[in-house]
């Protein structure tokens, strides 16, 4: 009935079992508080550092003024030298940074015209800055010195006017720019009037004033590049366009030359002015200690605060807090400096007047002559009063009792400050993307320490568009993200996790809502080995795992369409979805509630190659080869412009991403967005991975939780900061299409394993090998700690060992491959340097020597507990692993794991004793200053601090106890097991045995085109069997007579189907997939094959068995349609071109591997031989390490290093501690490695916080989860 449409079929059964959909892992309230605290702290830090930088610089200027007494006149050259250091400090930093980049990155030489023009402007700026600050400003008053630096925006305002006139759409800020230019000129006019009109006969003062005006005007050329780029883009000048292009390409060389020029010019001006001012450089060698402390503290504060202010200002912009944490603090800095310097002057003056108690009338001029200039120069009391009086001295030339002088001074100061504000008014409307690159925010890498706030405000790019002008907003292009998940034997809960995650993303970025245009996505699930043989059926059916997936999708669809809290609601109806037969098996296309698609590809291993790497090759060629590239070749054939098409291809490749997922990955949309940010902002990032959290329960999972945490906290952050991440896990990583489609990546990745080493490197750790290929091509791989994903970890000891049996040799093979190509990679990849490769070399050596190291650790505890010689304890510690190593070569893998489990328990108890023995040795020796004690305490401290830096994950640190006692199992027994079983290249996890009685799959015999036949039955297409020809030949006319009765039954069945279809309001068409033309059901169908493959049924039973026409037993499509009660699946078909693509792809790359027994035997033999060679080298190195240590312990009296022992009070006891050199070297090396990782972690945490705060500030609140 129509009125019942949408109502539940069973009103009494409307209760739901709803899985967790919302993000319950992220503490949003705590994060919101963290955001507020972070932004407030950054704003205060930027303001405070700018205040310190400006105040300390102005104090240096004041102390260099004639007549100031904090620093005597004969020591003024030292102050001038410090002012010069403030000017060139940033140039020195830029020079060193550019030299580093020129050495480790590609640097191009600019054209001579570009060099000449750049150096010309740099010469003007450096001369102006030196004259202004070293020569002129020491002769001016403090108020003028504070505000004249704002006048350096004069040329910027003029260029803004020109730029906006050349680009009419930018005339929004034309009036503010003109007003700013007029105000700055007014400030200069008032300044000239105040100083020159005060005493027109004072030639020297006129010279200083003229130099100040000229110097500030020359400094204003500092930001010419910002506006020249903009003018060049909007003009037809070829010179300007080529100039800007050349400057961008050759930045490193230009920065090296310009930095050197600035240093040289500043040194020349300083060196020439000191003798001209009748000062002597000799005093630099003999400065009294008091003056040295004053100067050192002032210049130290100035240099450090300037550098930090620049860094925090950039961080504020990246955090998307431009107004709150960048513009406003810098505006207020000048006012605060003015108040900080002038208010004490007024306070001291008023206090002096009050102290006279009216006994004498005094004005400011007499106060200057009596108190300021009449003080004792050798006064040794507090520095602050002297500094206040020195500041007062700079104002003494004015008559503060005259309103005219005060008014002119105030007018010039206000005019300059307002001019700067109006000149940078456009900054309030800038559109800044989160974690925007520094080079996209600021034109120059250089900051000016002498006028930090002006340089930061004026250096910001003027061509970033205004916020209110959306039609001209230079937005990032919309990117296409393909979610590519591989599945096999995942459980119901695991499948539920990933399907819910995909539906979350559909709700987060609805395709039907045009306001979300930053990215679109499409989900693809590649289901390996999805079909099975079913007795009595003419084609293979979906197995239980594949059917579970379809049921889960329907269930989750229902949850997300009926998730509101209304009691009485209409039941949302499922739209029709598609089921398609494909050359590789089948496909189901689901349109999610918000318009995005899930495409499930069911793979038949008899038709296409199975296993994870081949599923990845399948989607790489389908999504990037077929969907991305084919359309452009089609347009090119139709006469498209080649250059235009090539530009479009490169753009789409750059803006197409693949999110690799496992079949059990659980993630939030925010995690995907954070990865997309990295690839959007940084074009050379080829892949980015998130923080992987293992889920599950039990000791094995607890161990992995701590292991994963330490790996991500320290190892991955160090790789990210100092080089590149070597492995982006396949369970949650975002890849750029341009990187995957690069030479020697996708093509190489689709290579079939032909040698024994290939099976280890290519197939056992496919994600690590893919990253190796990307790194070799020069792409960067990054780690984003804020992007969280959850995946199930092995809960069983055996499954964990088998997983690591794959990972261990694969990791070693790929790292050795990278180390072998160190020279090529360091030249081709800008992110990887030779020091980073050395760090990886030390890491791999540490991993190789891990078994021997564990033996030494156990030996030390045995020596302490049993009170025996260290050499004897070492022999005892080596015996159990040596026996286990021998047994592993003889026993089956399951037996090896059982023995390892027993030994792991024994070693766990021993590790408890080891831990207690270390503590006991500290107590016994009454010292913690032994190398082992220092090492243990330092490592514990580092791990605890690291956990504190990850507050959300801090509880994981308690699993560290389990991790410690499992160290022998993980680094000794597991290493032995994985090395000995290296020749076992099976997957080892999620493997299930076929059910009893299941039909044996047919051999993967490739079929020729002639052997492939098709027939149509009940609206679906089914494959014939090769036995068909044999049966037709042998039975002849007997079969035809029997077929008559068969057809009668068939027609009766069709009538029932038609009645049923009419009753449900559906009509089905038989679709001819060869010709792609829909045809109605034929009134007189051709004879259909009903004979299944002979599986040994006796001839009598075959004759008696009635033909089977039950559609579910014949066609997997109909079976799936009938099993999907809530979701209607309508059969569709591929177009002819895609059909041909899949057949060609299968034939070229994905043809099922033939069952070649001889080749399998050869590969097995080669794997054993490779295993034996590698194991010999591996354990031989460990044996050498143990023998060397054993020798040193036997001859410890001669070969050991003796260091004095200190007690808890750090008092030397007179005893000596003996340490063998090898152990000390290893401890120092490992400790240094961990310290490097710890420092990298601190750096990475800061940038993670910046990114996360920016994300929270830019994403709508309802979208963050």
């Amino acid at each position: 009935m129509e009125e019942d449409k949408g109502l539940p079929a069973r009103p009494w059964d409307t209760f739901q079992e709803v899985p967790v959909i919302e993000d319950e892992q992220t503490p949003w309230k705590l994060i919101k508080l963290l955001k507020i605290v972070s932004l407030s702290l950054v704003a205060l830090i930027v303001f405070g550092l700018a205040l310190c930088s400006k105040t300390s610089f102005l104090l240096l200027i004041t102390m260099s003024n004639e007549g100031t007494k904090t620093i005597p006149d004969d020591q003024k050259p030292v102050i001038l030298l410090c002012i010069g250091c403030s000017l060139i400090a940033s140039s020195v930093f830029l020079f060193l940074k550019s030299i580093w980049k020129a050495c480790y990155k590609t640097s191009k030489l600019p054209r001579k015209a570009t060099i000449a023009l750049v150096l010309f402007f740099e010469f003007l700026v450096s001369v102006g800055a030196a004259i202004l600050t070293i020569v002129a400003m020491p002769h001016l008053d403090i108020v003028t010195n504070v505000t004249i630096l704002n006048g350096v925006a004069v040329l910027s305002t003029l260029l803004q006017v020109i730029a906006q006139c050349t680009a009419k759409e930018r005339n929004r800020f034309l009036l503010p720019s003109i007003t700013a230019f007029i105000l700055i000129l007014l400030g200069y006019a008032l300044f000239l009037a105040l100083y020159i009109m005060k005493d027109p006969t004072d030639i020297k003062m006129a010279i200083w004033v003229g130099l100040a005006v000229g110097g500030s005007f020359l400094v204003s050329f500092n930001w010419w590049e910002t506006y020249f780029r903009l003018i060049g883009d909007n003009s037809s000048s070829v010179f300007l366009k080529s100039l800007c292009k050349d400057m961008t390409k050759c930045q490193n060389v230009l920065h090296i030359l310009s930095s050197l020029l600035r240093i040289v010019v500043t040194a020349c001006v300083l060196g020439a002015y000191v003798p001209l001012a009748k000062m002597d450089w000799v005093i630099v060698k003999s400065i009294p200690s008091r003056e040295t402390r004053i100067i050192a503290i002032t210049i130290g504060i100035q240099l450090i605060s300037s550098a930090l202010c620049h860094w925090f200002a950039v961080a504020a912009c990246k955090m998307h807090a431009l107004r709150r944490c960048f513009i406003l603090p810098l505006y207020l800095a000048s006012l605060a400096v003015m108040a900080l310097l002038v208010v004490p002057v007024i306070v001291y003056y008023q206090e002096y007047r009050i102290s006279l108690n009216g006994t004498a009338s005094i004005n400011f001029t007499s106060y200057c002559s009596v108190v300021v200039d009449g003080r004792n120069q050798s006064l040794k009391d507090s520095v602050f009063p002297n500094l206040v009086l020195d500041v007062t001295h700079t104002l003494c030339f004015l008559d503060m009792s005259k309103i005219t002088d005060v008014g002119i001074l105030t007018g010039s100061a206000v005019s300059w400050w307002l001019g700067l504000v109006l000149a940078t008014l456009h900054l309030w409307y800038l559109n800044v993307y989160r974690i925007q690159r520094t080079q996209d925010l600021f034109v120059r890498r250089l900051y000016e320490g002498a006028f930090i706030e002006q340089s930061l405000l004026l250096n910001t790019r003027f061509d970033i568009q205004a916020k209110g002008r959306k039609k001209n907003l230079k937005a990032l292009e919309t990117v296409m993200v393909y979610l590519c998940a591989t599945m096999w034997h995942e459980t119901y809960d695991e499948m539920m996790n990933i399907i819910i995650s995909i539906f979350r993303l559909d709700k987060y970025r609805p395709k039907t809502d045009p306001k979300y245009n930053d990215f679109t996505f499409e989900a693809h699930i590649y289901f390996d080995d999805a079909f099975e043989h079913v007795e009595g059926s003419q084609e293979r059916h979906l197995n239980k795992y594949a059917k579970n997936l379809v049921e889960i999708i329907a269930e989750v669809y229902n949850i997300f369409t009926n998730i509101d809290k209304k009691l009485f609601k209409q039941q949302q109806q499922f739209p029709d979805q598609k089921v398609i037969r494909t050359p590789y098996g089948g496909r189901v296309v689901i349109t999610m509630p918000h318009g995005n698609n899930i495409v499930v590809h069911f793979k038949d291993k008899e038709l296409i190659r199975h296993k994870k790497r081949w599923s990845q090759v399948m989607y790489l060629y389908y999504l990037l080869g077929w969907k991305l590239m084919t359309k452009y070749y089609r347009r090119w054939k139709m006469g498209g412009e080649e250059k235009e098409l090539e530009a479009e291809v490169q753009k789409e490749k750059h803006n197409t991403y693949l999110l690799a997922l496992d079949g059990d990955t659980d993630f939030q949309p925010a995690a995907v967005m954070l990865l997309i940010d990295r690839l959007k902002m940084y074009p050379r990032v080829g892949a980015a991975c998130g923080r992987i959290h293992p889920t599950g329960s039990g000791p094995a999972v607890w161990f992995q939780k701590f292991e994963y945490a330490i790996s991500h906290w320290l190892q991955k952050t160090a790789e990210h900061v100092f080089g590149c991440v070597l492995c982006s896990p396949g369970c949650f990583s975002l890849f750029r299409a341009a990187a995957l489609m690069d030479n020697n990546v996708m093509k190489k990745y689709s290579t079939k394993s032909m040698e024994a080493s290939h099976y280890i490197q290519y197939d056992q750790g496919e994600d690590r090998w893919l990253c190796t290929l990307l790194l070799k091509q020069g792409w960067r791989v990054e780690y984003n700690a804020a992007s969280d994903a959850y995946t199930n970890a092995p809960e069983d000891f055996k499954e964990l060992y088998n997983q690591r049996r794959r990972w261990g040799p694969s990791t070693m093979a790929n790292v050795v491959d990278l180390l072998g190509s160190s020279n090529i990679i360091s030249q081709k990849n800008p992110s990887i340097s030779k020091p980073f490769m050395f760090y990886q070399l030390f890491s791999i050596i540490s991993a190789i020597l891990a078994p021997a190291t564990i033996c030494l650790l156990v030996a030390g505890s045995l020596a302490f507990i049993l009170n025996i010689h260290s050499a004897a304890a070492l022999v005892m510690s080596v015996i159990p692993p040596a026996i286990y190593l021998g047994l592993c070569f003889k026993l089956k893998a399951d037996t090896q794991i059982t023995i390892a489990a027993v030994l792991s328990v024994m070693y766990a108890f021993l590790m408890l004793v080891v831990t207690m023995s270390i503590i006991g040795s500290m107590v016994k020796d009454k010292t913690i200053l032994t190398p082992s004690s220092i090492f243990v305490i330092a490592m514990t401290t580092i791990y605890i601090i690291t956990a504190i830096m990850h507050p959300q994950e801090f509880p994981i640190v308690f699993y560290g106890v389990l991790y410690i006692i499992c160290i022998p199992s993980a680094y000794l027994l597991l290493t032995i097991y994985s090395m000995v079983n290296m020749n076992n290249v099976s997957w080892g996890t999620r493997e299930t045995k076929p059910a009893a009685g299941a039909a044996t799959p047919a051999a993967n015999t490739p079929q020729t085109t002639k052997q492939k036949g098709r027939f149509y039955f009940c609206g679906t297409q089914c494959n014939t069997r090769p036995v068909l020809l044999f049966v037709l030949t042998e039975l002849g006319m007997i079969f035809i007579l029997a077929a008559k009765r068969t057809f009668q039954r068939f027609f009766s069945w069709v009538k029932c189907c038609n009645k049923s279809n009419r009753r449900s309001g559906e009509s089905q068409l038989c679709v001819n997939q060869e010709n792609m033309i829909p045809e109605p059901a034929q009134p007189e169908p051709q004879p259909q094959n009903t004979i299944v493959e002979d599986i040994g049924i006796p001839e009598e039973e075959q004759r008696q068995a009635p033909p089977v026409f039950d559609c579910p037993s014949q066609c997997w499509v109909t079976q799936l349609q009938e099993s999907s009660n809530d979701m209607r699946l309508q059969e569709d078909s591929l177009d002819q071109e895609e059909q041909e693509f899949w057949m060609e792809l299968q034939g070229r790359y994905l043809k099922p591997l033939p069952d070649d027994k001889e080749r399998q035997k050869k590969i097995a033999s080669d794997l054993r031989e490779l295993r034996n060679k590698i194991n010999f080298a591996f354990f031989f190195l460990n044996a050498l390490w143990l023998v060397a240590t054993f020798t040193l312990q036997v001859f410890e009296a001669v070969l050991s290093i003796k260091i004095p022992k200190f007690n808890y009070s750090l008092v030397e006891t007179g005893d000596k501690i003996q340490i063998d050199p090898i152990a000390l070297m290893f401890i120092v090396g490992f400790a240094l490695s961990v310290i490097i990782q710890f420092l990298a972690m601190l750096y990475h945490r800061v940038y993670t916080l910046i990114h996360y705060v920016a994300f929270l500030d830019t994403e709508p609140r309802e979208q963050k989860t």
Side-chain angles (χ1 to χ4, degrees), residues 712-713 717 785 945-955 1241 1245:
H712 286 84
W713 292 351
T717 54
I945 295 175
T946 302
I948 293 172
M949 294 294 293
H950 299 75
Q952 188 180 349
E953 304 175 43
F954 184 79
M1241 182 274 301
R1245 290 310 290 169

Side-chain angles (χ1 to χ4, degrees), residues 539-575:
E539 66 172 18
R540 287 156 63 82
H541 283 202
L542 292 177
N543 59 26
K544 62 179 182 179
Y545 299 102
K547 288 185 285 188
N548 280 346
L549 177 61
V550 177
E551 293 172 3
I552 288 169
I553 291 175
E555 182 180 346
V556 176
Y557 196 111
N558 183 57
I559 292 169
F560 274 81
T561 51
N562 299 281
I563 201 169
D564 56 50
K565 298 181 180 181
K566 294 180 181 179
L567 178 61
F568 298 105
K569 57 185 178 181
Q570 287 192 345
Q571 193 76 13
Q572 295 287 334
Q573 298 298 318
F574 284 84

Side-chain angles (χ1 to χ4, degrees), residues 884-1083:
Y884 178 65
L885 175 63
L887 292 176
C888 284
F889 279 98
K890 297 295 182 182
L891 301 176
K892 293 182 178 180
D894 288 350
T895 310
Q896 298 173 32
I897 294 175
T898 303
I899 296 173
V902 174
L903 289 175
S904 296
V905 174
M906 297 171 62
Y907 272 116
F909 285 105
L910 184 59
M911 282 303 296
L912 283 176
V913 177
V914 169
T915 306
M916 299 306 296
S917 67
I918 293 174
I919 298 173
S921 64
M922 296 181 195
V923 176
K924 179 181 177 182
D925 296 337
K926 296 182 180 180
T927 182
I928 59 172
L929 297 181
T930 62
S932 59
S933 302
I934 294 173
F935 176 77
V936 170
I937 294 172
M939 292 302 102
T940 304
T941 305
I942 285 175
Y943 287 151
I944 291 175
I945 295 175
T946 302
I948 293 172
M949 294 294 293
H950 299 75
Q952 188 180 349
E953 304 175 43
F954 184 79
I956 293 176
V957 77
F958 296 106
Y959 297 133
V961 178
L962 176 65
Y963 180 82
I964 290 172
I965 65 174
C966 291
I967 284 177
S969 178
Y971 294 98
L972 178 60
L973 303 178
L974 179 55
T975 303
I976 293 173
Y977 173 78
S978 62
M979 294 302 297
V980 173
N981 292 276
M982 185 187 298
N983 59 315
N984 182 359
V985 292
S986 64
W987 202 248
T989 55
R990 297 191 190 277
E991 292 182 342
T992 57
K993 296 180 180 180
T1000 305
N1004 293 335
T1005 305
Q1007 292 179 319
T1008 64
T1009 305
K1010 294 181 180 180
Q1011 289 174 319
K1012 292 181 179 178
R1014 290 182 171 86
F1015 68 96
Y1016 295 90
F1017 183 75
C1018 77
T1020 57
Q1021 177 186 351
C1022 303
N1023 292 329
T1024 61
R1025 301 294 180 188
V1027 76
L1028 172 60
L1029 297 176
F1030 172 78
V1031 172
L1032 289 175
T1033 304
E1034 296 294 327
L1035 297 182
M1037 294 303 296
I1038 299 175
F1039 173 77
I1040 297 174
L1041 293 174
K1044 287 183 178 179
R1045 293 190 294 273
T1046 301
F1047 293 148
Q1048 293 173 357
R1049 295 186 181 184
F1050 174 74
F1051 291 134
S1052 301
W1053 179 85
V1054 169
K1055 289 180 181 179
C1056 295
C1057 287
N1058 289 337
K1059 290 179 182 179
S1060 174
N1061 290 339
R1062 283 195 297 270
R1063 205 174 293 125
S1064 62
E1066 297 176 356
S1067 62
Q1068 291 190 354
L1069 294 177
C1070 294
V1071 182
N1072 186 326
Q1073 294 191 8
E1074 294 292 330
N1075 299 319
M1076 301 306 297
I1077 301 173
E1079 301 173 351
Q1082 299 294 330

Side-chain angles (χ1 to χ4, degrees), residues 448-463:
E448 302 296 337
F451 24 91
I452 186 69
E453 70 270 33
Q454 290 85 4
S455 68
L456 289 172
L457 291 169
L458 295 172
N459 193 29
T460 309
R461 281 190 182 273
F462 185 70
D463 56 348

Side-chain angles (χ1 to χ4, degrees), residues 358-372:
T359 56
S361 61
I362 188 168
N363 58 18
F364 188 76
T365 304
S366 58
Y367 170 73
C368 287
S369 60
V370 174
V371 177
V372 177

Side-chain angles (χ1 to χ4, degrees), residues 1187-1243:
V1187 169
T1189 305
F1190 178 81
T1191 304
L1192 290 172
Q1193 289 177 347
V1194 170
F1195 300 100
E1196 61 181 357
V1198 179
L1199 301 176
S1200 62
I1201 298 175
K1202 297 179 180 179
I1203 60 174
K1205 186 169 75 172
F1206 295 85
N1207 60 19
Y1208 299 124
S1209 303
L1210 302 181
V1211 177
E1212 187 173 349
T1213 61
D1215 298 331
K1216 301 290 183 180
I1217 301 174
Q1218 294 184 341
I1219 306 170
D1220 61 86
I1222 295 180
L1224 180 62
M1225 177 189 68
F1226 189 80
I1227 288 175
V1228 170
F1230 186 77
L1232 183 62
S1233 174
V1234 174
I1235 291 172
I1236 290 173
Q1237 292 176 352
F1238 178 73
L1239 296 176
M1241 182 274 301
L1242 295 176
Y1243 179 86

